[in-house]
Structures are given as structure tokens and as C-alpha cells.
PDB file of all heavy atoms in Angstrom:
ATOM      1  N   MET A   1     226.402  84.811 208.017  1.00 86.00           N
ATOM      2  CA  MET A   1     227.280  85.304 206.966  1.00 86.00           C
ATOM      3  C   MET A   1     227.635  86.832 207.132  1.00 86.00           C
ATOM      4  O   MET A   1     228.711  87.314 206.873  1.00 86.00           O
ATOM      5  CB  MET A   1     226.744  85.105 205.529  1.00 86.00           C
ATOM      6  CG  MET A   1     226.720  83.729 205.155  1.00 86.00           C
ATOM      7  SD  MET A   1     225.852  83.415 203.546  1.00 86.00           S
ATOM      8  CE  MET A   1     227.030  84.164 202.468  1.00 86.00           C
ATOM      9  N   ALA A   2     226.488  87.581 207.559  1.00 84.00           N
ATOM     10  CA  ALA A   2     226.697  88.990 207.730  1.00 84.00           C
ATOM     11  C   ALA A   2     225.405  89.469 208.523  1.00 84.00           C
ATOM     12  O   ALA A   2     224.466  88.736 208.739  1.00 84.00           O
ATOM     13  CB  ALA A   2     226.655  89.687 206.374  1.00 84.00           C
ATOM     14  N   ASN A   3     225.478  90.751 209.017  1.00 84.00           N
ATOM     15  CA  ASN A   3     224.386  91.269 209.702  1.00 84.00           C
ATOM     16  C   ASN A   3     223.130  91.118 208.827  1.00 84.00           C
ATOM     17  O   ASN A   3     223.161  91.476 207.710  1.00 84.00           O
ATOM     18  CB  ASN A   3     224.675  92.700 210.149  1.00 84.00           C
ATOM     19  CG  ASN A   3     225.342  92.927 211.383  1.00 84.00           C
ATOM     20  OD1 ASN A   3     225.383  92.018 212.062  1.00 84.00           O
ATOM     21  ND2 ASN A   3     225.889  94.137 211.638  1.00 84.00           N
ATOM     22  N   GLY A   4     222.072  90.568 209.340  1.00 85.00           N
ATOM     23  CA  GLY A   4     220.748  90.472 208.712  1.00 85.00           C
ATOM     24  C   GLY A   4     220.763  89.248 207.716  1.00 85.00           C
ATOM     25  O   GLY A   4     219.756  89.017 207.024  1.00 85.00           O
ATOM     26  N   ASN A   5     221.792  88.408 207.593  1.00 90.00           N
ATOM     27  CA  ASN A   5     221.821  87.249 206.746  1.00 90.00           C
ATOM     28  C   ASN A   5     222.237  86.107 207.728  1.00 90.00           C
ATOM     29  O   ASN A   5     223.298  85.922 208.092  1.00 90.00           O
ATOM     30  CB  ASN A   5     222.893  87.370 205.727  1.00 90.00           C
ATOM     31  CG  ASN A   5     222.876  86.261 204.729  1.00 90.00           C
ATOM     32  OD1 ASN A   5     222.295  85.113 205.062  1.00 90.00           O
ATOM     33  ND2 ASN A   5     223.420  86.358 203.580  1.00 90.00           N
ATOM     34  N   LEU A   6     221.232  85.303 208.044  1.00 93.00           N
ATOM     35  CA  LEU A   6     221.409  84.156 208.986  1.00 93.00           C
ATOM     36  C   LEU A   6     222.029  83.001 208.376  1.00 93.00           C
ATOM     37  O   LEU A   6     222.403  82.064 209.090  1.00 93.00           O
ATOM     38  CB  LEU A   6     220.049  83.768 209.487  1.00 93.00           C
ATOM     39  CG  LEU A   6     219.305  84.852 210.348  1.00 93.00           C
ATOM     40  CD1 LEU A   6     217.991  84.249 210.890  1.00 93.00           C
ATOM     41  CD2 LEU A   6     220.142  85.357 211.440  1.00 93.00           C
ATOM     42  N   ASN A   7     222.177  82.908 206.982  1.00 95.00           N
ATOM     43  CA  ASN A   7     222.899  81.860 206.474  1.00 95.00           C
ATOM     44  C   ASN A   7     224.394  81.761 206.819  1.00 95.00           C
ATOM     45  O   ASN A   7     224.933  82.715 207.286  1.00 95.00           O
ATOM     46  CB  ASN A   7     222.708  81.844 204.857  1.00 95.00           C
ATOM     47  CG  ASN A   7     221.357  81.656 204.445  1.00 95.00           C
ATOM     48  OD1 ASN A   7     220.667  80.734 204.817  1.00 95.00           O
ATOM     49  ND2 ASN A   7     220.885  82.586 203.622  1.00 95.00           N
ATOM     50  N   SER A   8     225.037  80.598 206.758  1.00 97.00           N
ATOM     51  CA  SER A   8     226.355  80.464 207.165  1.00 97.00           C
ATOM     52  C   SER A   8     227.315  80.219 206.080  1.00 97.00           C
ATOM     53  O   SER A   8     226.918  79.611 205.053  1.00 97.00           O
ATOM     54  CB  SER A   8     226.507  79.199 208.124  1.00 97.00           C
ATOM     55  OG  SER A   8     225.607  79.370 209.264  1.00 97.00           O
ATOM     56  N   GLN A   9     228.618  80.808 206.185  1.00 96.00           N
ATOM     57  CA  GLN A   9     229.546  80.605 205.166  1.00 96.00           C
ATOM     58  C   GLN A   9     230.914  80.462 205.890  1.00 96.00           C
ATOM     59  O   GLN A   9     231.289  81.362 206.765  1.00 96.00           O
ATOM     60  CB  GLN A   9     229.551  81.679 204.200  1.00 96.00           C
ATOM     61  CG  GLN A   9     230.481  81.429 202.962  1.00 96.00           C
ATOM     62  CD  GLN A   9     230.350  82.569 201.976  1.00 96.00           C
ATOM     63  OE1 GLN A   9     230.705  83.724 202.274  1.00 96.00           O
ATOM     64  NE2 GLN A   9     229.774  82.193 200.888  1.00 96.00           N
ATOM     65  N   VAL A  10     231.758  79.509 205.498  1.00 96.00           N
ATOM     66  CA  VAL A  10     233.184  79.394 205.912  1.00 96.00           C
ATOM     67  C   VAL A  10     233.994  79.471 204.642  1.00 96.00           C
ATOM     68  O   VAL A  10     233.820  78.667 203.760  1.00 96.00           O
ATOM     69  CB  VAL A  10     233.404  78.064 206.615  1.00 96.00           C
ATOM     70  CG1 VAL A  10     234.829  77.829 206.879  1.00 96.00           C
ATOM     71  CG2 VAL A  10     232.606  78.172 207.936  1.00 96.00           C
ATOM     72  N   ILE A  11     234.977  80.410 204.585  1.00 95.00           N
ATOM     73  CA  ILE A  11     235.902  80.408 203.550  1.00 95.00           C
ATOM     74  C   ILE A  11     237.250  80.055 204.276  1.00 95.00           C
ATOM     75  O   ILE A  11     237.623  80.682 205.164  1.00 95.00           O
ATOM     76  CB  ILE A  11     236.076  81.853 202.888  1.00 95.00           C
ATOM     77  CG1 ILE A  11     234.697  82.273 202.260  1.00 95.00           C
ATOM     78  CG2 ILE A  11     237.195  81.919 201.778  1.00 95.00           C
ATOM     79  CD1 ILE A  11     234.581  83.706 201.826  1.00 95.00           C
ATOM     80  N   LEU A  12     237.826  78.955 203.721  1.00 95.00           N
ATOM     81  CA  LEU A  12     239.019  78.364 204.394  1.00 95.00           C
ATOM     82  C   LEU A  12     240.073  78.017 203.523  1.00 95.00           C
ATOM     83  O   LEU A  12     239.796  77.312 202.512  1.00 95.00           O
ATOM     84  CB  LEU A  12     238.524  77.146 205.267  1.00 95.00           C
ATOM     85  CG  LEU A  12     239.475  76.394 206.091  1.00 95.00           C
ATOM     86  CD1 LEU A  12     239.944  77.166 207.259  1.00 95.00           C
ATOM     87  CD2 LEU A  12     238.805  75.131 206.597  1.00 95.00           C
ATOM     88  N   THR A  13     241.263  78.482 203.766  1.00 96.00           N
ATOM     89  CA  THR A  13     242.477  77.939 203.116  1.00 96.00           C
ATOM     90  C   THR A  13     242.856  76.784 203.947  1.00 96.00           C
ATOM     91  O   THR A  13     243.244  76.953 205.134  1.00 96.00           O
ATOM     92  CB  THR A  13     243.531  78.993 202.909  1.00 96.00           C
ATOM     93  OG1 THR A  13     242.981  80.079 202.171  1.00 96.00           O
ATOM     94  CG2 THR A  13     244.785  78.392 202.216  1.00 96.00           C
ATOM     95  N   LEU A  14     242.887  75.537 203.326  1.00 96.00           N
ATOM     96  CA  LEU A  14     243.081  74.383 204.141  1.00 96.00           C
ATOM     97  C   LEU A  14     244.569  74.317 204.618  1.00 96.00           C
ATOM     98  O   LEU A  14     245.463  74.453 203.859  1.00 96.00           O
ATOM     99  CB  LEU A  14     242.692  73.116 203.298  1.00 96.00           C
ATOM    100  CG  LEU A  14     241.293  73.105 202.761  1.00 96.00           C
ATOM    101  CD1 LEU A  14     241.137  71.750 202.088  1.00 96.00           C
ATOM    102  CD2 LEU A  14     240.318  73.219 203.984  1.00 96.00           C
ATOM    103  N   PRO A  15     244.785  74.225 205.938  1.00 95.00           N
ATOM    104  CA  PRO A  15     246.129  74.188 206.496  1.00 95.00           C
ATOM    105  C   PRO A  15     246.857  72.913 206.254  1.00 95.00           C
ATOM    106  O   PRO A  15     248.125  72.862 206.362  1.00 95.00           O
ATOM    107  CB  PRO A  15     245.967  74.502 207.981  1.00 95.00           C
ATOM    108  CG  PRO A  15     244.530  73.876 208.198  1.00 95.00           C
ATOM    109  CD  PRO A  15     243.776  74.135 207.015  1.00 95.00           C
ATOM    110  N   ALA A  16     246.163  71.814 205.961  1.00 96.00           N
ATOM    111  CA  ALA A  16     246.859  70.507 205.773  1.00 96.00           C
ATOM    112  C   ALA A  16     245.999  69.603 204.826  1.00 96.00           C
ATOM    113  O   ALA A  16     244.824  69.833 204.657  1.00 96.00           O
ATOM    114  CB  ALA A  16     246.942  69.789 207.141  1.00 96.00           C
ATOM    115  N   ALA A  17     246.663  68.658 204.205  1.00 97.00           N
ATOM    116  CA  ALA A  17     246.055  67.683 203.412  1.00 97.00           C
ATOM    117  C   ALA A  17     245.268  66.715 204.392  1.00 97.00           C
ATOM    118  O   ALA A  17     245.680  66.480 205.481  1.00 97.00           O
ATOM    119  CB  ALA A  17     247.029  66.932 202.547  1.00 97.00           C
ATOM    120  N   GLY A  18     244.193  66.265 203.848  1.00 96.00           N
ATOM    121  CA  GLY A  18     243.452  65.231 204.684  1.00 96.00           C
ATOM    122  C   GLY A  18     241.905  65.335 204.609  1.00 96.00           C
ATOM    123  O   GLY A  18     241.436  66.110 203.823  1.00 96.00           O
ATOM    124  N   GLN A  19     241.204  64.611 205.500  1.00 96.00           N
ATOM    125  CA  GLN A  19     239.795  64.667 205.411  1.00 96.00           C
ATOM    126  C   GLN A  19     239.260  65.561 206.429  1.00 96.00           C
ATOM    127  O   GLN A  19     239.694  65.534 207.606  1.00 96.00           O
ATOM    128  CB  GLN A  19     239.296  63.252 205.724  1.00 96.00           C
ATOM    129  CG  GLN A  19     237.717  63.178 205.680  1.00 96.00           C
ATOM    130  CD  GLN A  19     237.194  61.817 205.657  1.00 96.00           C
ATOM    131  OE1 GLN A  19     237.326  61.115 204.651  1.00 96.00           O
ATOM    132  NE2 GLN A  19     236.622  61.389 206.788  1.00 96.00           N
ATOM    133  N   TYR A  20     238.432  66.492 206.016  1.00 97.00           N
ATOM    134  CA  TYR A  20     237.757  67.425 206.863  1.00 97.00           C
ATOM    135  C   TYR A  20     236.360  66.958 207.082  1.00 97.00           C
ATOM    136  O   TYR A  20     235.691  66.637 206.119  1.00 97.00           O
ATOM    137  CB  TYR A  20     237.831  68.880 206.150  1.00 97.00           C
ATOM    138  CG  TYR A  20     239.142  69.415 206.207  1.00 97.00           C
ATOM    139  CD1 TYR A  20     240.154  68.988 205.357  1.00 97.00           C
ATOM    140  CD2 TYR A  20     239.608  70.441 207.112  1.00 97.00           C
ATOM    141  CE1 TYR A  20     241.487  69.533 205.282  1.00 97.00           C
ATOM    142  CE2 TYR A  20     240.942  70.913 207.004  1.00 97.00           C
ATOM    143  CZ  TYR A  20     241.804  70.445 206.080  1.00 97.00           C
ATOM    144  OH  TYR A  20     243.053  71.038 206.119  1.00 97.00           O
ATOM    145  N   ARG A  21     235.821  67.192 208.266  1.00 96.00           N
ATOM    146  CA  ARG A  21     234.411  66.854 208.552  1.00 96.00           C
ATOM    147  C   ARG A  21     233.640  68.155 208.486  1.00 96.00           C
ATOM    148  O   ARG A  21     234.045  69.191 209.048  1.00 96.00           O
ATOM    149  CB  ARG A  21     234.226  66.316 209.957  1.00 96.00           C
ATOM    150  CG  ARG A  21     234.873  64.889 210.132  1.00 96.00           C
ATOM    151  CD  ARG A  21     234.970  64.413 211.625  1.00 96.00           C
ATOM    152  NE  ARG A  21     233.573  64.448 212.062  1.00 96.00           N
ATOM    153  CZ  ARG A  21     233.361  64.696 213.490  1.00 96.00           C
ATOM    154  NH1 ARG A  21     234.305  64.974 214.296  1.00 96.00           N
ATOM    155  NH2 ARG A  21     232.105  64.649 213.976  1.00 96.00           N
ATOM    156  N   VAL A  22     232.577  68.213 207.713  1.00 96.00           N
ATOM    157  CA  VAL A  22     231.582  69.371 207.534  1.00 96.00           C
ATOM    158  C   VAL A  22     230.272  69.036 208.230  1.00 96.00           C
ATOM    159  O   VAL A  22     229.671  68.143 207.740  1.00 96.00           O
ATOM    160  CB  VAL A  22     231.457  69.792 206.027  1.00 96.00           C
ATOM    161  CG1 VAL A  22     230.620  70.922 205.986  1.00 96.00           C
ATOM    162  CG2 VAL A  22     232.902  70.023 205.452  1.00 96.00           C
ATOM    163  N   LEU A  23     230.057  69.783 209.268  1.00 96.00           N
ATOM    164  CA  LEU A  23     228.813  69.531 209.978  1.00 96.00           C
ATOM    165  C   LEU A  23     227.860  70.585 209.722  1.00 96.00           C
ATOM    166  O   LEU A  23     228.075  71.780 209.981  1.00 96.00           O
ATOM    167  CB  LEU A  23     229.028  69.415 211.512  1.00 96.00           C
ATOM    168  CG  LEU A  23     230.003  68.377 211.981  1.00 96.00           C
ATOM    169  CD1 LEU A  23     230.113  68.379 213.533  1.00 96.00           C
ATOM    170  CD2 LEU A  23     229.636  66.980 211.536  1.00 96.00           C
ATOM    171  N   VAL A  24     226.677  70.254 209.101  1.00 96.00           N
ATOM    172  CA  VAL A  24     225.541  71.137 208.952  1.00 96.00           C
ATOM    173  C   VAL A  24     224.661  70.969 210.191  1.00 96.00           C
ATOM    174  O   VAL A  24     224.134  69.957 210.457  1.00 96.00           O
ATOM    175  CB  VAL A  24     224.786  70.618 207.615  1.00 96.00           C
ATOM    176  CG1 VAL A  24     223.448  71.372 207.544  1.00 96.00           C
ATOM    177  CG2 VAL A  24     225.658  70.852 206.420  1.00 96.00           C
ATOM    178  N   THR A  25     224.474  72.190 210.839  1.00 96.00           N
ATOM    179  CA  THR A  25     223.615  72.056 212.087  1.00 96.00           C
ATOM    180  C   THR A  25     222.752  73.341 212.223  1.00 96.00           C
ATOM    181  O   THR A  25     222.818  74.055 211.253  1.00 96.00           O
ATOM    182  CB  THR A  25     224.578  71.787 213.248  1.00 96.00           C
ATOM    183  OG1 THR A  25     223.793  71.486 214.429  1.00 96.00           O
ATOM    184  CG2 THR A  25     225.547  72.809 213.528  1.00 96.00           C
ATOM    185  N   THR A  26     222.280  73.540 213.338  1.00 96.00           N
ATOM    186  CA  THR A  26     221.469  74.741 213.616  1.00 96.00           C
ATOM    187  C   THR A  26     222.037  75.473 214.844  1.00 96.00           C
ATOM    188  O   THR A  26     222.848  75.067 215.618  1.00 96.00           O
ATOM    189  CB  THR A  26     220.022  74.250 214.043  1.00 96.00           C
ATOM    190  OG1 THR A  26     220.164  73.561 215.183  1.00 96.00           O
ATOM    191  CG2 THR A  26     219.439  73.452 212.927  1.00 96.00           C
ATOM    192  N   TYR A  27     221.647  76.750 214.804  1.00 95.00           N
ATOM    193  CA  TYR A  27     222.025  77.706 215.895  1.00 95.00           C
ATOM    194  C   TYR A  27     221.387  77.286 217.293  1.00 95.00           C
ATOM    195  O   TYR A  27     222.001  77.319 218.327  1.00 95.00           O
ATOM    196  CB  TYR A  27     221.699  79.056 215.586  1.00 95.00           C
ATOM    197  CG  TYR A  27     221.999  80.102 216.710  1.00 95.00           C
ATOM    198  CD1 TYR A  27     223.271  80.523 216.844  1.00 95.00           C
ATOM    199  CD2 TYR A  27     221.088  80.552 217.537  1.00 95.00           C
ATOM    200  CE1 TYR A  27     223.721  81.456 217.745  1.00 95.00           C
ATOM    201  CE2 TYR A  27     221.403  81.440 218.606  1.00 95.00           C
ATOM    202  CZ  TYR A  27     222.747  81.894 218.605  1.00 95.00           C
ATOM    203  OH  TYR A  27     223.071  82.799 219.550  1.00 95.00           O
TER     204      TYR A  27
END
């Protein structure tokens, strides 16, 4: 997310209607 913060964040304005796959994984 930021320097010193290993958590992840995606802020996304969806470009199209439909189903998005969200994969939770590791570095």
C-alpha cells in the first residue's frame, strides 16, 4: 500500500461491466 506498509490495496474504477477475478496471494 505504501512504504513501510506491506498490506495490499487496489483502487479501481471498473472499465467494463462483467465479472472480475480477485486473487488473494503472497509476494
